[in-house]
Amino acid sequence: ALNLQGRLAGKRLTLDNVDFRIFDGLARGTAVLTDQQRTNITGDLSFERINLRTRGEALTIGSQFQGDANGKFRFSAPVQDGTVLIDSLGADGSFVVTRGSLGGIDLGEAVRRNTERPMTLGGATRFERMSGAFQVVPAGYRFSQISLTAGLLQGSGHLNVNRSLQVNGQMAVSIGR
């Protein structure tokens, strides 16, 4: 379901109310489409209860990420021939994921092994809450100020994901109080 309300004034379309259902959740916000020297769209959205597994499957990146996501972000992108150029999209915002799981990485096992280069591949990390900030840039995605809580396991760090879905970053993980 998609609901748009706005007004057109000259070469500027202002959407005061953007409301749509997506990935089992809800997104709301505003957007402005301008046609000055270059056509551009800017806006802000907040989202609630976005199902990460459904989102991952729809975007063909798999279902290794699970949980309910909430957050908000600002975005801008050029528009050419009526099409938003997703590869040039810029966005920044914050997120909170509850009752989630990171598939393919077992942070608890990495801490238990306590070696200089712990092997973290395989398994999964279930968590109660993960929050952070993110940026969408032409090279990919940057996640910073990540904070993860999974019972006695606590984690913080940052990650970068390029357009080929290669991940690099650093997480400090501890178990206990």
Side-chain angles (χ1 to χ4, degrees):
L2 173 64
N3 182 27
L4 303 172
Q5 293 177 348
R7 59 190 179 285
L8 179 62
K11 294 185 174 189
R12 181 181 179 101
L13 173 62
T14 302
L15 298 173
D16 300 315
N17 184 13
V18 176
D19 183 5
F20 59 100
R21 310 274 186 253
I22 187 166
F23 306 125
D24 301 330
L26 172 69
R28 292 186 176 120
T30 61
V32 176
L33 179 66
T34 57
D35 186 12
Q36 305 299 347
Q37 287 134 336
R38 220 174 108 182
T39 305
N40 197 30
I41 186 167
T42 60
D44 61 84
L45 284 175
S46 63
F47 53 94
E48 319 175 344
R49 300 180 315 276
I50 299 296
N51 182 324
L52 291 182
R53 191 175 111 221
T54 304
R55 180 186 174 274
E57 290 170 350
L59 298 176
T60 66
I61 60 173
S63 60
Q64 69 270 25
F65 306 107
Q66 296 181 22
D68 294 327
N70 299 299
K72 59 185 175 180
F73 65 96
R74 286 183 297 276
F75 66 90
S76 67
V79 177
Q80 184 175 340
D81 299 325
T83 303
V84 176
L85 301 177
I86 297 297
D87 290 342
S88 299
L89 174 71
D92 65 274
S94 60
F95 67 92
V96 175
V97 179
T98 55
R99 296 180 307 279
S101 175
L102 300 173
I105 184 167
D106 189 340
L107 294 174
E109 184 63 24
V111 172
R112 282 189 277 287
R113 288 185 184 186
N114 196 22
T115 62
E116 194 166 308
R117 286 189 59 107
M119 190 60 143
T120 58
L121 299 177
T125 302
R126 294 191 181 280
F127 58 86
E128 288 91 34
R129 185 177 196 276
M130 180 174 62
S131 63
F134 67 90
Q135 282 185 303
V136 178
V137 295
Y141 312 93
R142 295 181 184 149
F143 296 91
S144 59
Q145 303 170 8
I146 297 172
S147 175
L148 181 131
T149 303
L152 293 177
L153 186 137
Q154 304 290 315
S156 62
H158 66 276
L159 295 172
N160 296 309
V161 181
N162 68 20
R163 295 284 179 189
S164 301
L165 300 180
Q166 295 173 322
V167 177
N168 70 41
Q170 184 175 8
M171 290 288 291
V173 182
S174 62
I175 293 180
R177 305 232 179 256

